[in-house]
Amino acid sequence: MGTDKKRKVDLLLVIQDASSRVQYRNMIEDMELNVHVCMADCGSTAIEKIAENDFGCLVLDSILPDMPAKNILAAAREDSKSIIPSVVFTTEPNETDRLKLLEAGVSDFISKDECTPELLRISILYALIRNEYSKSQQNYEQALVLLKHKSVIELAICKEKQELKEANSKLHFMAMHDALTSLPNRLMLLEHLDHSLQYAKRNRTKLAVLYIDLDRFKLVNDSLGHDIGDQVLLSVVHRIKGQVRRSDILARVGGDEFVLLIDKVKGNKEIEIITQKINRALAKPIVLDDEAIYMSASIGVDILEKNHQSAEMLIKRAAKAMYQAKTNGRNDYVIYSEDLITSTVSELSLNQKLHNALKNNELELYYQPKVNSVTFEVEGAEALLRWINPSHGESPSVFIPIAEESNLILDIGQLVMEQACEQLARWKHTIFQDLTLSVNVSSRQFIRKKVIDVCQNCISQSDIDPRLLELEVTERVVFESVNANRSDFSKLKDLGLSISIDDFGTGFSSLSYLKNFPFDVIKIDGSFIRDLPSDRYSKAIISSILHMTEGLGLKAIAECVENKSQFEHLRDAGCNSIQGFYFSKPLPVSEFELWVQKHQQLVDYKRKVLPNNMLQPATQSLRFQ
Ligand code: C2E
Ligand code: MG
Ligand code: MG
């Protein structure tokens, strides 16, 4: 399939024994993976080669004559400042030793006795996918490194002339910026804020100050240490900056407190959207040293409406609003108003609103079709939760993370499973009886061990065929389940349902776990689809994932497919199942049923009037918006 011919990836094979080294090299070369195999017979030669080359994958014996594999990985990490995905031939007999290898940075391991060419091929493919993905993630860091290099060169050119000037401006910078994050400090913020205030008053524009305080950050510092705490802060800064304009000013005003200054604000709605985006960006786990850290923030906002507020006053009022957000249960935002502090009727937290929504039946499932890319038959649907309320219909990406903070996710998970199974029961003996239905399951439901009972009860109460039910779990579930009970997945499979990995490619699971867990479907994350077909990285990743799923005997489905060229690329690359706006957005059940019927009529009609091989080019008219 379409791996880019020009970009051969260098692979380093480190095996002591000469004849098996050559045997494995031949085996890898026969796999047509578009890799160039280099070889080494011991750890020190391997380290030298790693220093000279940019390897995309390492395949190595766990024990070499001069050192164990993990020492080579540590040296490689130090040298390239990133982890080179690696496959290790393990002799480690037990699970604990294998886990230790994973902790040392090994992406995958294979026992030499059990190694078949196919297994090795899949493992290398998976390592290559990881390499492609991490490369695309490193763009930001590379940009920073380039900047640093540039400034080093510039310094060298006009060193003498500039020395005094540089030292002065460095001092000035240090006085005005935070040492860890390089963000403006409080002093600098006040300077910016004064300018912005004058501008806003002159031009009668609005200005917003967001006071962002991380929730329970102290716990991170206390339990994981200050080094990890610092890295979490850097990651938080990076994420917040990713959600705002370059011209907006983000300052660090305390250990875990930040102030965001936004000029030319149009109204409260715009600020609400920004705060929600920040909370959403922070909700994704920060993974450091194999530890998934969950952060959230409480945000207080003050918007300059009248002309009399001073810079200090704006910050103070935003901070007051932030404390109110904390009182509301954290991971929330509050916009300052005069009666905020005096009023006894404070804003209900989103969490509380969600409680009410559950009680008042405001949570409802919508259905998005999954279509076979070759036959155009509708194979099934994904059930996606919607909050139906005229004043706050937040999307699930906002309210699910909030529900996950408390036990509320268990009640919501149960409701979703009940509604989905009831729907499958209603479709029984109708034209929709063969549709499969997938349901998203949160990692918290696994951690709190409710999911098996809930599935079992719902399946038996609604008396449905469990083969029609599919659970969508993210890689986070797999990652967090490593130390939990793996048999949960087997028990679920014993109920007869199938399991798919959602958002595949963005998480952190190792192929070993993919092989060990009983998954059926891999759902390729929308971030790899977005830039198809022009982006060669996305194409290479998609191609590798499809190879891998085929090798593992799993089904692949692509989500968030929005247009014809994405659809055609995926179909031609061999992806048989497609979901996304290209066919339909998620719909309420009655509209979904209508959509399926109309779609089927059109497929039947095309099949009748067109010869078989003409069905494919007619794709465009098979869509319904
Ligand atoms: P997900 O499971 O990966 O769902 C796919 C998301 O992509 C959905 O967003 C869907 O509406 C959206 N989508 C579908 N086609 C397209 C497309 O062509 N383009 C774009 N840009 N987006 C598309 P939604 O419904 O907002 O859900 C977001 C996430 O919230 C879901 O991601 C899932 O992780 C979570 N979620 C939704 N419903 C539930 C639920 O019942 N339980 C749990 N635990 N999580 C849920
Ligand atoms: Mg999903
Ligand atoms: Mg997804």
Side-chain angles (χ1 to χ4, degrees):
M1 271 191 281
T3 320
D4 196 335
K5 283 272 179 307
K6 279 169 269 164
R7 274 182 63 244
K8 274 213 171 191
V9 178
D10 283 326
L11 178 150
L12 181 63
L13 180 66
V14 195
I15 294 180
Q16 182 193 5
D17 176 58
S19 71
S20 30
R21 203 164 53 241
V22 172
Q23 187 194 344
Y24 277 105
R25 187 201 52 200
N26 294 345
M27 196 191 279
I28 295 171
E29 282 178 350
D30 283 348
M31 292 172 186
E32 293 183 2
L33 287 172
N34 206 31
V35 292
H36 170 246
V37 183
C38 306
M39 296 193 288
D41 61 355
C42 64
S44 47
T45 316
I47 291 171
E48 273 170 29
K49 293 202 175 208
I50 289 167
E52 288 161 8
N53 279 287
D54 184 15
F55 288 108
C57 175
L58 307 178
V59 177
L60 60 174
D61 268 339
S62 68
I63 313 262
L64 286 148
D66 50 350
M67 63 183 79
K70 62 178 191 233
N71 290 19
I72 304 179
L73 295 176
R77 196 187 307 203
E78 201 150 278
D79 188 66
S80 62
K81 298 281 176 280
S82 66
I83 299 173
I84 306 175
S86 51
V87 180
V88 166
F89 292 118
T90 175
T91 48
E92 274 64 19
N94 63 46
E95 194 61 12
T96 322
D97 291 335
R98 287 170 175 231
L99 276 175
K100 275 190 188 147
L101 273 176
L102 282 175
E103 276 160 20
V106 173
S107 325
D108 201 5
F109 44 75
I110 304 178
S111 155
K112 250 190 185 163
D113 304 336
E114 295 163 6
C115 178
T116 60
E118 190 50 22
L119 193 57
L120 182 59
R121 186 174 141 269
I122 292 166
S123 298
I124 294 175
L125 265 173
Y126 188 71
L128 295 175
I129 295 173
R130 293 189 123 199
N131 187 44
E132 292 288 355
Y133 183 67
S134 70
K135 261 192 198 157
S136 66
Q137 294 297 296
Q138 277 166 14
N139 284 348
Y140 173 77
E141 281 131 61
Q142 277 167 7
L144 285 186
V145 173
L146 280 178
L147 265 181
K148 213 164 133 199
H149 281 184
K150 189 172 163 240
S151 64
V152 169
I153 293 163
E154 280 171 359
L155 258 180
I157 294 169
C158 48
K159 198 175 170 212
E160 280 182 27
K161 260 205 253 164
Q162 291 279 314
E163 224 166 41
L164 197 59
K165 215 170 145 197
E166 289 280 342
N168 270 338
S169 60
K170 214 170 174 184
L171 266 180
H172 180 72
F173 186 87
M174 280 164 66
M176 304 298 260
H177 290 80
D178 164 54
L180 174 69
T181 60
S182 298
L183 291 178
N185 59 17
R186 182 179 278 271
L187 213 60
M188 180 83 175
L189 170 72
L190 287 173
E191 223 172 72
H192 279 299
L193 197 45
D194 272 338
H195 279 133
S196 299
L197 264 174
Q198 281 167 23
Y199 178 92
K201 286 176 184 174
R202 242 191 346 262
N203 297 289
R204 293 175 197 282
T205 54
K206 284 187 184 176
L207 164 77
V209 171
L210 275 68
Y211 205 106
I212 304 170
D213 185 284
L214 300 182
D215 298 328
R216 303 189 182 94
F217 178 72
K218 195 175 165 308
L219 259 180
V220 175
N221 263 345
D222 291 350
S223 56
L224 301 172
H226 286 266
D227 284 349
I228 295 280
D230 285 354
Q231 289 183 57
V232 169
L233 286 172
L234 288 172
S235 173
V236 163
V237 167
H238 182 50
R239 289 182 185 193
I240 297 177
K241 283 191 151 182
Q243 306 306 316
V244 297
R245 297 171 304 191
R246 276 161 59 108
S247 56
D248 297 333
I249 305 287
L250 179 66
R252 186 177 179 205
V253 294
D256 59 352
E257 291 170 27
F258 301 88
V259 168
L260 181 64
L261 169 59
I262 303 177
D263 278 326
K264 297 177 210 155
V265 172
K266 295 201 181 63
N268 289 16
K269 192 74 207 157
E270 183 186 344
I271 295 302
E272 279 176 26
I273 291 170
I274 294 174
T275 47
Q276 282 165 6
K277 271 169 62 182
I278 293 174
N279 276 336
R280 225 176 300 154
L282 295 182
K284 292 184 186 142
I286 298 169
V287 183
L288 295 169
D289 286 350
D290 281 0
E291 192 86 47
I293 300 162
Y294 293 88
M295 291 308 307
S296 64
S298 302
I299 306 178
V301 185
D302 193 20
I303 300 178
L304 176 83
E305 300 267 6
K306 298 176 203 120
N307 285 351
H308 62 257
Q309 282 134 304
S310 67
E312 292 280 11
M313 193 194 223
L314 274 165
I315 297 179
K316 219 181 250 172
R317 298 196 336 176
K320 269 189 190 161
M322 180 275 289
Y323 284 117
Q324 188 61 43
K326 286 243 184 261
T327 317
N328 290 353
R330 299 183 169 90
N331 194 13
D332 199 0
Y333 68 91
V334 168
I335 298 181
Y336 184 91
S337 66
E338 286 300 336
D339 52 1
L340 176 71
I341 308 303
T342 49
S343 164
T344 46
V345 199
S346 66
E347 273 268 295
L348 283 180
S349 71
L350 206 52
N351 195 297
Q352 189 58 46
K353 286 181 192 161
L354 203 49
H355 261 289
N356 296 344
L358 196 62
K359 243 184 1 217
N360 302 334
N361 300 324
E362 289 174 8
L363 299 179
E364 189 184 307
L365 286 182
Y366 274 37
Y367 300 83
Q368 186 176 34
K370 297 177 182 174
V371 179
N372 184 297
S373 64
V374 180
T375 63
F376 288 93
E377 299 285 340
V378 181
E379 297 176 329
E382 176 174 8
L384 291 155
L385 199 55
R386 293 291 175 266
W387 183 349
I388 315 289
N389 182 299
S391 62
H392 35 259
E394 276 80 2
S395 90
S397 352
V398 174
F399 68 77
I400 293 287
I402 289 172
E404 283 176 340
E405 285 250 307
S406 65
N407 280 339
L408 204 53
I409 192 63
L410 301 182
D411 298 337
I412 291 181
Q414 172 148 4
L415 173 98
V416 166
M417 194 61 70
E418 280 166 7
Q419 283 193 12
C421 290
E422 281 162 18
Q423 191 53 60
L424 280 172
R426 276 194 291 274
W427 281 339
K428 223 172 164 179
H429 310 305
T430 72
I431 52 165
F432 307 108
Q433 64 184 356
D434 294 328
L435 295 185
T436 59
L437 188 57
S438 65
V439 170
N440 292 284
V441 180
S442 152
S443 61
R444 303 279 127 176
Q445 289 171 259
F446 278 86
I447 290 170
R448 293 179 199 171
K449 303 254 172 233
K450 283 277 188 187
V451 72
I452 303 167
D453 288 348
V454 170
C455 286
Q456 195 162 23
N457 291 342
C458 290
I459 290 171
S460 67
Q461 270 165 26
S462 52
D463 191 25
I464 53 158
D465 180 351
R467 284 171 305 177
L468 296 176
L469 189 63
E470 181 178 307
L471 303 191
E472 292 197 10
V473 299
T474 58
E475 287 178 282
R476 188 166 128 188
V477 174
V478 185
F479 184 78
E480 289 179 343
S481 303
V482 169
N483 299 318
N485 194 352
R486 260 182 240 194
S487 63
D488 284 359
F489 289 97
S490 306
K491 285 186 196 148
L492 282 168
K493 287 284 301 180
D494 290 344
L495 296 179
L497 44 76
S498 48
I499 302 179
S500 78
I501 307 198
D502 207 351
D503 307 336
F504 183 79
T506 57
F508 3 76
S509 56
S510 142
L511 179 59
S512 325
Y513 294 115
L514 285 193
K515 281 182 301 201
N516 291 345
F517 284 95
F519 297 126
D520 305 276
V521 183
I522 278 184
K523 218 167 170 189
I524 306 171
D525 187 63
S527 57
F528 301 124
I529 312 292
R530 197 179 43 226
D531 300 325
L532 285 181
S534 56
D535 181 59
R536 65 194 182 111
Y537 282 115
S538 305
K539 280 201 299 198
I541 290 171
I542 298 275
S543 159
S544 312
I545 293 178
L546 289 172
H547 259 108
M548 191 187 76
T549 38
E550 201 187 342
L552 287 170
L554 304 178
K555 197 178 155 190
I557 176 164
E559 64 180 349
C560 296
V561 179
E562 294 186 345
N563 57 49
K564 188 172 181 226
S565 45
Q566 291 170 343
F567 168 80
E568 286 178 347
H569 178 85
L570 287 158
R571 181 200 56 200
D572 296 344
C575 182
N576 288 343
S577 276
I578 304 288
Q579 182 185 342
F581 297 166
Y582 178 59
F583 283 105
S584 166
K585 60 184 186 189
L587 298 168
V589 68
S590 55
E591 287 176 42
F592 170 79
E593 290 174 348
L594 213 60
W595 186 92
V596 176
Q597 278 169 296
K598 275 174 144 184
H599 180 86
Q600 193 57 44
Q601 279 166 9
L602 204 54
V603 173
D604 292 343
Y605 172 74
K606 293 262 171 198
R607 200 166 280 144
K608 241 186 255 156
V609 298
L610 296 173
N612 265 351
N613 57 2
M614 296 262 304
L615 191 60
Q616 286 194 24
T619 55
Q620 192 60 18
S621 56
L622 279 169
R623 288 173 49 219
F624 294 89
Q625 290 295 346

